[in-house]
Amino acid sequence: MPAYFRFMTLLAFHYFSSIKVDATILEVGVGGLYDSTNIVPKPVVTGITSLGVDHTAVLGNTLKEIGYQKGGIYKPGVPALTVEQPEEGMNAIRDQAIAQKASSFTVVQIMPELQNVKLGLSGVHQFQNASIAVHLVHQYLLARQPDIPEFLPSLYPTPLSPSYIKGLEATRFPGRCQEVADPEHTKITWFLDGAHTIESLTSCGEWFFQPTTGMKPSDARNGEKFLNVVLDGMKKRVLQHQIDDGAELIKRGFFDHVIFCTNITYVDGRSKA
């Protein structure tokens, strides 16, 4: 019996094959180079989103080491995409693209036209994710152009087509920068996110501390201070948006309650922090 994630990978491939999917979006489990999903010899296109320091026991303690592992998904003759990264991480990813003989290496910039699109996922960081998603889809369509009945123009300077916009607006990811009104207690709103690295916690804080989310004028939060790693960022957001009584709000704290959930739960109910 293979390890759990390897078994799930095999099961996924079997299922995709049995129902004859048109396309598969395959996300690695941990890293990339030695991940069980990294067995497709020639994918249509490959992409790496923003690096974060996570799974250090497996991937390494630096962005250079992590970038090297992530870049292991690049393949010979296949377009390699990524987004803006810290220099040491970017150098490692670029080196892997060269070593793996990718057909091209592209650093995707945030697309200005996305400012006119109401993304289905909240958070400023989602503009970067949406930009690389559009480019990945476009590369796939270009590779499959003979199967497309109408001429497919290059992405620039052509504006986003309605089909792209519809997909971006309809995207949902429960538990990521999600705001949920409590069905039983009208004064309670749940702000949900699965952030677990410094980078993702920072993005989570940027999402929460804006006037349209957790810092609505009617809010008056006076709980314990939020995570120390993003506290400075929160203060900056409060001052940036000139929140009423911002100084007093910073002094009091921001939340009534903060709930931390473990990230591994076993069948028998035990958990690992």
Side-chain angles (χ1 to χ4, degrees), residues 9 17 52 56 82 132 161 164 168 205 245:
T9 302
S17 177
T56 54
T82 189
I132 191 171
S161 68
Y164 281 94
L168 292 169
D245 300 323

Side-chain angles (χ1 to χ4, degrees), residues 64-83:
K64 179 180 179 180
E65 294 172 309
I66 294 171
Y68 174 82
Q69 293 288 332
K70 296 280 188 179
I73 68 169
Y74 292 154
K75 295 291 182 289
V78 175
L81 279 63
T82 189
V83 296

Side-chain angles (χ1 to χ4, degrees), residues 93-127:
I93 291 174
R94 184 183 292 106
D95 289 345
Q96 274 287 52
I98 296 172
Q100 300 296 339
K101 296 181 171 57
S103 62
S104 60
F105 179 71
T106 303
V107 179
V108 176
Q109 304 298 319
I110 295 178
M111 302 173 66
E113 49 266 64
L114 290 178
Q115 297 297 326
N116 300 319
V117 178
K118 184 174 176 56
L119 299 180
L121 301 181
S122 300
V124 175
H125 58 292
Q126 295 298 350
F127 286 99

Side-chain angles (χ1 to χ4, degrees), residues 131-183:
S131 297
I132 191 171
V134 167
H135 280 73
L136 289 169
V137 170
H138 198 76
Q139 284 287 344
Y140 172 84
L141 293 177
L142 288 174
R144 295 292 185 263
Q145 186 170 339
D147 301 325
I148 299 175
E150 56 186 356
F151 176 71
L152 185 69
S154 61
L155 196 58
Y156 291 108
T158 306
L160 286 175
S161 68
S163 59
Y164 281 94
I165 295 174
K166 181 179 179 181
L168 292 169
E169 292 181 340
T171 301
R172 297 291 182 269
F173 198 159
R176 289 292 178 92
C177 293
Q178 183 182 12
E179 183 176 344
V180 179
D182 194 293

